Amino acid sequence: MVQRFRLPEGGLIDRSRPLEFRFDGQLLEGFAGDSLASALLANGIHLVGRSFKYHRPRGIFTAGPEEPNALLQLGEDPRTDPNSRATQTELVEGLSARTQNCWPSVRFDVGEVNSLVSRLFPAGFYYKTFMWPASLWMQYEAVIRRAAGLGKSPTRRDPARYDKTFAHCDVLVVGAGPAGLAAALAAGRSGARVLLVEQDHSLGGSLLGDPEDRIDGLPALAWVAEAEAELAAMAEVRILRRTVAYAYNDHNYVLLHERVTDHLSGEPEHLPRHRLWKLRAKQVVLAAGAIERPLVFADNDRPGIMLASACRTYVNRYAVKPGERAVVFTNNDSGYGAAIDMRAAGMQIAAVVDLRENPEGPLTDAAEAEGIRVLAGHAVTGTQGRLRLSGIRVAPLNAEGDRVFGAGEPIECDLLAVSGGWSPTVHLFSQSGGKLAWSEEQGCYRPGEAAQATLCAGAVNGAFGLAGTLREGHQAGEQAASAAGFPPKQSKKLHFEAGDESFLPARWLWLVPSDKPLGRGGKAFHELQNDVTAADLHLALDEGYSSIEHVKRYTTTGMGTDQGKLGNLNAIGIVAERLRRPLPEVGVTTFRPPYVPVSFGAFAGRDVDELLDPIRKTAMHGWHEKNGAVFEDVGQWRRPWYYPRGGETMHEAVNREVEACRASIGILDASTLGKIDIQGPDSAEFLNRVYTNAWSKLGIGRCRYGLMLGEDGMVSDDGVTARLGEQHYLMTTTSGNAAAVLAHLEEWLQTEWPELRVYMTSVTEQYATASISGPNARALMAELTDDIDLSPEAFPHMSLTHGTVAGLPARVFRISFTGEAGYEINVSARSGLALWQALVTAGEKYAITPFGTEAMHVLRAEKGYIIVGQETDGSVTPIDLGMDWIVSKRKDFVGKRSLSRPDMLLPDRKQLVGLLTEEPDTVLPEGAQLVEQLKPEPPMTMLGHVTSSYYSPNLGRSIAMALVKGGRDKQGQRLWAPLADGRKIACSICEPVFVDPKGERLHA
Amino acid sequence: MLLIDCPYCGPRAELEFSYGGEAHIVRPKDPEALSDAEWGDYLFMRKNTKGVFLERWCHSHGCRRWFNVARDTVTYEILAVYEMGSEPPALPERNLV
């Protein structure tokens, strides 16, 4: 448990709090304040994984969110996270991390054989190798996934809790480095509501890895502490740590992912693990900094090769030596900072290899003054070492930068720090719709014209000096706050006296030449995570791909979980050079959210299990449950489907319920039917316009069935509407469609006929409805009411009345969906259960039978009543249904004109018919296709399909309804239903009414 | 997600609204007098504008009122919000397609 590479002093770690953790089972120690990556490096561990395709050994490469290699499996199933960046994982006591994508171990990995046959894995190898036969793709895919896997998802339910929250602010500041802190201070002092988000657990950004800087005479981190204290004291400022702004959407809608408890050992009850913030900001200040770029040269991927800035961070922030003897390979001044800091930490600096012929810059000068060996105009032409870097070769470059002289001088080292310049973190800016602008001098894309209320400050804007960064941040903060309505107040003077050195000038060589031809002497990776080399890019171009978006997809450049944070610009540069075109002409691939991967748990939040979708229950639901109902979902409603007794099958239960209804009396919970209260002097005119039939003459206390169409003439809903008073109607709709019908009506009323004085409101949930039907329905009603005249003359079919039923004030409709005489009794929802129980108790002597939706469907199908959504599918007109009788010729209504469009008049439109199977016990499957001419094999000409099909116990045979081309003229004709299981069912077309076609039972 | 300024409730997130397509399409007074082509034009044909587009929205999960919006379909910027039945406010001509 010796941290061999830990420096004796320094760093932002708490040496009084040692933490134990496991890496591939091995027990190790780090300190509080460590990242998992820094703790591994403190123990001398660089090798953390195998590469995606070639299974090459890979080491920790960065110290931040751009990490392509150190992707580890954290925790144990089911509390496990795959592909976690060790560089951004805070060390906690007991943390368990495992390597991925290697077997049996990271040191000895069988998959490494891929490296020896790498010519089998050229660019686009998926497309080339697995083209044929297509039927084997599933097998190929399984093998590929196993071989080139990332981490493993949990196999069991994640026990952690996740949350989502909404927030608003005046100014969102993304990033708490020097620019972000200055912006937050400026905006906060103006009184604006400021949200400062920082992905790290500490504020300071680049200053954390560069503590020698001074701001206004203070050590940089003391300045950070002062800023933090001032911000914390502001009532309107909120700081979110461990939070990444991962998506920048329209109208300054920014999504944040906060890791709330991952850094704690144990999970406090009162906190969610992660929190997803849906934030709307008036103004956004992006202070996201910049990411250092690697250099692309032969075998640039061995463990022990790291970004120079990461080396600095490990030495300065974590007090860890990333090696003993280092070479720095750079094309700019900032690489020298790593050399100086590593030397100060006691490491040997074998050399700084600089692509520039005449290196200059303050850090360059300082390094040379310290006597560090500088090889100017040189390039690293190759590297050695299998599981860890052991040496490199260095050769002089020609003036053009496309050749080296000789095989090169070998230099022994265990660390190679590389710096290829800096790429501003423009991801969010680009996501916001802002245009990127190419800077030739800085060799990077910078934010150009903004598309939203967005300001950029600091390194993200191409300001790489500290003083300039601070001033930009402060100015952006003031500007954003002003724009949000908070002009700057008299505040304390800010000087921002600090160094202002930049990394420029640099020498841009997108592909560093080697003494061997590209692709022959080692692999030059521009994309580490997906194992893509410069040779792959050349191959893609040679094969004819020239758009950068195509090259990206063909080679999989930038398509790993890091989305090319390190490699994309190098790829664009290599492509531009090969095409001999200026780099900006090649374009830039699209930046897409999320900036870093976000846990699925955060997306789901609490919208799981019973909270995924609301369940609507009627007032009688408890009774249905107690009486053994099996439920079905109708929209969000949960309705009794059937009520099995004893050991009844569904078929037996439904038959019993159907027979009881025709023989004596059945009772159905009809509370779910949509109910819309319509009032106002123009209500009748409104109904005339939205229904196909006429409403003006409907008397008070009478009901009428109505069919509603879309303007395209297709049936959209149906239901019974009753006239309650002179200017008062109650419309019923299908259960699943109530909200949509109300929305449809409101749309017409508000947008097309605002002159109509009509007012609508949903009263679906205000009433509970029990529907009783059958020959004994009237007898039962008579026992429960003494103020309603139930005689057919006083209370005929399609009428309504008010009275008292079972002691409850009730509105009673005499309507029927079963074809039997029936009553729908509406009481206030809270009395629904009392009504139901009274009916069931009083109905015992008639063997009253509760029936569910399935029996209801059989009963209505026996009568040929349609169900919208079952007999119709949005392409069916009333004429197709044979319901011409309900379509007014005299008045206009929504959809009427469409009914005379030529296509609507074609004789071979699908029309509603009845179907009887020749074998009476065979029930056709709903959806079965129908043909006239049977052939041994498909294809056959399909004439239509079965829409409803049941066994009718009252008829002792099966019945069905179907939509058949020209079906009404094919009465008696024989059709076939060839089924997938090989059966071919013969049936014949009939009228779609099977029971009581004259309606004698209905009017009884 | 857009931020839509409901004329009756104030600015609200897009998820509270439903979209109603192109605005200012008036239902013909006498549909039966129209040719099939004319009716088809009213029923099916809609603009596919790149630039400022006049469209209808309904605050479905709020006040349930319909209103009109002038929105740039390229930048998604909302340039104006105005009541159903009123004429669109003056907008930069160059953008109107």
Side-chain angles (χ1 to χ4, degrees):
Chain A
M1 301 223 300
V2 186
Q3 300 181 37
R4 247 181 344 119
F5 288 82
R6 184 75 70 181
L7 295 169
E9 56 187 23
L12 306 174
I13 48 168
D14 184 353
R15 289 166 201 262
S16 69
R17 284 176 56 209
L19 302 172
E20 283 190 344
F21 69 103
R22 281 182 189 276
F23 176 67
D24 275 346
Q26 187 187 355
L27 191 65
L28 299 168
E29 189 194 79
F31 291 122
D34 259 328
S35 71
L36 175 56
S38 70
L40 287 168
L41 290 171
N43 289 277
I45 294 172
H46 277 251
L47 176 65
V48 287
R50 290 288 180 148
S51 74
F52 191 70
K53 270 198 310 205
Y54 306 120
H55 288 247
R56 285 167 69 110
R58 290 281 165 82
I60 296 163
F61 194 77
T62 75
E66 68 273 30
E67 177 59 37
N69 295 339
L71 305 179
L72 300 176
Q73 184 92 31
L74 298 185
E76 303 295 337
D77 199 10
R79 289 177 188 269
T80 184
D81 284 311
N83 315 328
S84 303
R85 295 172 302 282
T87 50
Q88 289 195 298
T89 302
E90 280 177 63
L91 194 66
V92 292
E93 178 66 29
L95 182 75
S96 157
R98 272 169 292 125
T99 48
Q100 309 178 153
N101 200 31
C102 53
W103 183 85
S105 79
V106 70
R107 297 184 68 82
F108 176 75
D109 174 23
V110 166
E112 196 174 352
V113 69
N114 285 3
S115 224
L116 305 175
V117 292
S118 63
R119 285 185 189 289
L120 298 180
F121 296 90
F125 86 101
Y126 284 90
Y127 310 109
K128 289 167 178 163
T129 313
F130 304 109
M131 288 281 287
W132 188 88
S135 59
L136 279 181
W137 173 247
M138 298 300 277
Q139 278 92 321
Y140 291 145
E141 200 186 16
V143 173
I144 293 164
R145 287 203 186 283
R146 216 175 310 133
L150 288 165
K152 290 187 171 58
S153 53
T155 59
R156 284 173 291 143
R157 193 194 168 96
D158 183 350
R161 190 156 51 83
Y162 300 83
D163 255 343
K164 287 185 236 184
T165 189
F166 290 86
H168 297 261
C169 67
D170 296 311
V171 180
L172 166 70
V173 180
V174 177
L181 285 169
L185 283 171
R189 283 170 189 160
S190 72
R193 176 165 295 181
V194 177
L195 192 65
L196 174 63
V197 302
E198 170 53 52
Q199 60 188 354
D200 208 318
H201 57 83
S202 293
L203 307 190
S206 61
L207 300 173
L208 294 168
D210 208 355
E212 291 301 303
D213 277 318
R214 295 186 80 82
I215 300 173
D216 293 342
L218 288 173
L221 293 179
W223 181 86
V224 170
E226 273 196 4
E228 189 172 348
E230 186 182 343
L231 290 169
M234 293 179 185
E236 292 294 334
V237 175
R238 179 166 192 170
I239 302 172
L240 288 177
R241 291 172 180 77
R242 302 180 178 89
T243 303
V244 62
Y246 70 86
Y248 193 148
N249 298 325
D250 297 314
H251 295 191
N252 271 4
Y253 186 65
V254 182
L255 301 174
L256 316 174
H257 180 230
E258 181 187 10
R259 287 164 291 123
V260 184
T261 63
D262 283 352
H263 63 291
L264 307 172
S265 33
E267 224 166 76
E269 274 287 305
H270 66 291
L271 289 174
R273 181 177 176 226
H274 294 169
R275 194 180 279 131
L276 191 77
W277 290 74
K278 301 179 176 195
L279 177 76
R280 186 79 67 172
K282 283 189 185 144
Q283 299 284 321
V284 173
V285 177
L286 295 177
I291 292 174
E292 196 171 24
R293 284 200 299 269
L295 290 163
V296 183
F297 54 99
D299 290 333
N300 57 346
D301 66 326
R302 298 186 194 279
I305 301 180
M306 295 173 93
L307 289 179
S309 58
C311 295
R312 275 188 112 171
T313 296
Y314 287 119
V315 167
N316 295 329
R317 178 175 178 181
Y318 297 109
V320 168
K321 284 191 291 185
E324 299 285 11
R325 183 178 159 84
V327 171
V328 174
F329 184 22
T330 186
N331 67 356
N332 69 82
D333 187 54
S334 68
Y336 290 82
I340 294 165
D341 289 355
M342 287 193 286
R343 190 160 181 273
M347 291 167 60
Q348 281 184 54
I349 306 300
V352 176
V353 181
D354 196 326
L355 292 171
R356 298 177 296 174
E357 288 179 302
N358 300 301
E360 54 173 313
L363 294 170
T364 308
D365 298 343
E368 281 183 326
E370 285 192 28
I372 290 175
R373 182 185 179 203
V374 175
L375 294 165
H378 276 61
V380 174
T381 56
T383 68
Q384 290 82 45
R386 199 172 76 85
L387 298 179
R388 177 71 191 266
L389 184 73
S390 60
I392 61 165
R393 282 179 296 116
V394 178
L397 270 170
N398 68 351
E400 292 74 33
D402 57 4
R403 268 185 56 209
V404 290
F405 300 108
E409 171 201 348
I411 301 178
E412 272 183 37
C413 60
D414 64 353
L415 182 77
L416 179 62
V418 293
S419 176
W422 293 80
S423 292
T425 312
V426 294
H427 301 65
L428 290 178
F429 182 81
S430 178
Q431 286 176 25
S432 78
K435 292 207 168 41
L436 300 179
W438 173 249
S439 163
E440 191 67 40
E441 188 206 6
Q442 294 183 314
C444 64
Y445 277 103
R446 293 182 355 192
E449 194 189 334
Q452 303 193 29
T454 317
L455 296 166
C456 295
V460 71
N461 212 21
F464 292 104
L466 180 55
T469 287
L470 289 161
R471 279 187 211 105
E472 270 199 11
H474 188 261
Q475 195 188 343
E478 278 194 344
Q479 205 180 324
S482 291
F486 296 87
K489 291 178 185 161
Q490 197 69 25
S491 63
K492 71 176 180 186
K493 186 95 177 121
L494 286 159
H495 300 284
F496 296 133
E497 278 164 22
D500 209 13
E501 298 85 18
S502 171
F503 70 97
L504 294 168
R507 181 182 188 185
W508 305 119
L509 286 187
W510 301 110
L511 176 58
V512 177
S514 171
D515 52 317
K516 301 197 182 89
L518 184 66
R520 296 291 159 132
K523 293 187 187 306
F525 291 95
H526 64 276
E527 156 75 49
L528 287 167
Q529 193 183 111
N530 271 357
D531 255 6
V532 193
T533 65
D536 290 326
L537 293 174
H538 283 192
L539 182 63
L541 295 171
D542 293 349
E543 290 183 3
Y545 294 92
S546 55
S547 154
I548 190 66
E549 293 285 0
H550 290 159
V551 171
K552 165 184 166 167
R553 282 158 183 77
Y554 193 58
T555 63
T556 70
T557 293
M559 293 172 71
T561 61
D562 64 346
Q563 292 193 55
K565 289 186 182 67
L566 292 173
N568 272 8
L569 192 70
N570 283 333
I572 293 167
I574 292 167
V575 167
E577 264 176 12
R578 181 74 164 182
L579 295 173
R580 299 179 197 285
R581 289 167 62 189
L583 189 143
E585 274 184 26
V586 171
V588 60
T589 52
T590 311
F591 292 90
R592 289 196 177 83
Y595 170 67
V596 290
V598 175
S599 61
F600 278 109
F603 288 130
R606 300 204 189 189
D607 304 330
V608 293
D609 297 331
E610 68 271 21
L611 297 180
L612 177 64
D613 198 32
I615 295 171
R616 302 174 78 183
K617 297 174 180 175
T618 71
M620 296 79 126
H621 190 85
W623 189 94
H624 304 320
E625 278 182 334
K626 268 189 218 128
N627 286 272
V630 177
F631 292 91
E632 82 165 329
D633 292 331
V634 180
Q636 287 168 331
W637 287 106
R638 192 145 287 177
R639 299 192 70 180
W641 193 13
Y642 57 98
Y643 300 80
R645 282 184 191 162
E648 274 182 339
T649 63
M650 177 178 176
H651 184 66
E652 288 162 354
V654 171
N655 283 351
R656 175 178 50 73
E657 292 170 16
V658 167
E659 283 173 318
C661 208
R662 297 249 186 266
S664 176
I665 183 167
I667 179 166
L668 173 84
D669 182 353
S671 307
T672 62
L673 278 187
K675 294 178 270 291
I676 300 171
D677 191 275
I678 302 175
Q679 300 193 38
D682 298 318
S683 299
E685 172 59 21
F686 181 68
L687 293 172
N688 275 336
R689 296 185 189 188
V690 298
Y691 272 136
T692 59
N693 45 349
W695 292 80
S696 308
K697 288 181 183 154
L698 183 72
I700 293 170
R702 302 291 302 196
C703 316
R704 185 166 285 172
Y705 175 77
L707 207 51
M708 207 177 280
L709 310 185
E711 189 74 305
D712 59 1
M714 303 304 168
V715 173
S716 64
D717 203 68
D718 69 346
V720 168
T721 292
R723 187 167 191 181
L724 302 178
E726 191 58 38
Q727 303 180 359
H728 192 185
Y729 294 80
L730 184 74
M731 175 186 284
T732 60
T733 74
T734 50
S735 293
N737 223 9
V741 170
L742 181 58
H744 168 82
L745 298 178
E746 283 287 356
E747 181 179 346
W748 281 103
L749 182 63
Q750 291 182 34
T751 67
E752 209 61 51
W753 308 315
E755 72 281 4
L756 294 185
R757 286 164 298 166
V758 178
Y759 311 94
M760 290 177 282
T761 191
S762 165
V763 293
T764 304
E765 296 191 335
Q766 277 63 37
Y767 293 96
T769 309
S771 172
I772 55 172
S773 54
N776 285 318
R778 181 179 295 124
L780 177 60
M781 275 299 283
E783 289 181 31
L784 291 173
T785 181
D786 47 21
D787 58 358
I788 298 176
D789 182 349
L790 296 166
S791 67
E793 299 73 37
F795 195 13
H797 182 55
M798 297 305 269
S799 63
L800 78 132
T801 188
H802 291 83
T804 308
V805 179
L808 301 163
R811 177 185 289 157
V812 184
F813 294 83
R814 188 163 167 208
I815 51 178
S816 170
F817 196 43
T818 61
E820 297 299 319
Y823 301 89
E824 278 190 16
I825 307 152
N826 290 267
V827 297
S828 77
R830 63 180 175 181
S831 304
L833 184 57
L835 171 73
W836 183 273
Q837 282 171 327
L839 288 164
V840 168
T841 306
E844 273 174 16
K845 63 177 81 64
Y846 305 110
I848 190 168
T849 303
F851 65 99
T853 50
E854 187 66 18
M856 176 186 84
H857 284 190
V858 178
L859 288 159
R860 66 89 201 176
E862 288 179 343
K863 285 289 295 176
Y865 295 153
I866 63 155
I867 289 183
V868 171
Q870 188 155 348
E871 269 63 56
T872 72
D873 60 3
S875 71
V876 179
T877 70
I879 320 301
D880 298 336
L881 294 171
M883 295 174 78
D884 320 45
W885 52 271
I886 204 173
V887 178
S888 168
K889 300 269 185 294
R890 283 195 288 278
K891 55 144 195 160
D892 187 28
F893 54 84
V894 172
K896 183 181 190 186
R897 176 64 183 82
S898 291
L899 297 178
S900 56
R901 293 176 58 233
D903 273 12
M904 304 295 173
L905 305 171
L906 295 177
D908 69 339
R909 285 187 64 80
K910 286 187 179 180
Q911 295 163 339
L912 186 72
V913 296
L915 277 186
L916 290 173
T917 52
E918 292 184 0
E919 179 59 53
D921 286 340
T922 304
V923 180
L924 286 161
E926 288 176 357
Q929 295 292 325
L930 299 165
V931 303
E932 218 162 359
Q933 302 289 333
L934 199 58
K935 292 182 190 167
E937 290 286 327
M940 291 173 251
T941 308
M942 295 181 287
L943 285 188
H945 65 277
V946 177
T947 59
S948 292
S949 178
Y950 310 95
Y951 182 79
S952 163
N954 295 307
L955 297 168
R957 60 155 302 132
S958 71
I959 57 171
M961 290 195 272
L963 286 167
V964 176
K965 279 186 182 174
R968 268 204 296 283
D969 292 333
K970 295 186 175 170
Q971 291 297 322
Q973 194 173 315
R974 189 191 219 197
L975 296 180
W976 295 89
L979 303 184
D981 62 10
R983 286 186 297 155
K984 295 170 172 64
I985 300 174
C987 48
S988 60
I989 294 178
C990 62
E991 285 294 334
V993 185
F994 303 94
V995 167
D996 187 26
K998 291 190 181 144
E1000 283 157 359
R1001 304 174 68 93
L1002 196 61
H1003 295 277
Chain B
M1 183 163 45
L2 307 181
L3 184 69
I4 300 171
D5 195 4
C6 171
Y8 310 100
C9 305
R12 296 287 190 278
E14 182 184 344
L15 55 80
E16 294 185 15
F17 298 83
S18 51
Y19 186 61
E22 188 179 338
H24 302 293
I25 291 175
V26 180
R27 188 170 197 266
K29 281 273 171 283
D30 183 6
E32 299 298 321
L34 265 53
S35 70
D36 287 332
E38 287 166 335
W39 179 254
D41 188 54
Y42 153 73
L43 192 58
F44 299 120
M45 294 309 181
R46 297 294 182 267
K47 292 190 190 112
N48 184 15
T49 303
K50 183 178 181 182
V52 179
F53 187 56
L54 306 178
E55 59 193 16
R56 309 182 310 157
W57 286 83
C58 179
H59 195 187
S60 328
H61 299 281
C63 62
R64 298 202 284 128
R65 298 282 295 271
W66 281 89
F67 56 93
N68 293 316
V69 171
R71 184 176 63 97
D72 189 316
T73 59
V74 178
T75 64
Y76 288 9
E77 192 185 352
I78 290 179
L79 303 165
V81 170
Y82 56 103
E83 288 188 13
M84 207 36 79
S86 56
E87 289 300 309
L91 294 165
E93 273 293 322
R94 64 189 160 80
N95 276 335
L96 278 171
V97 177

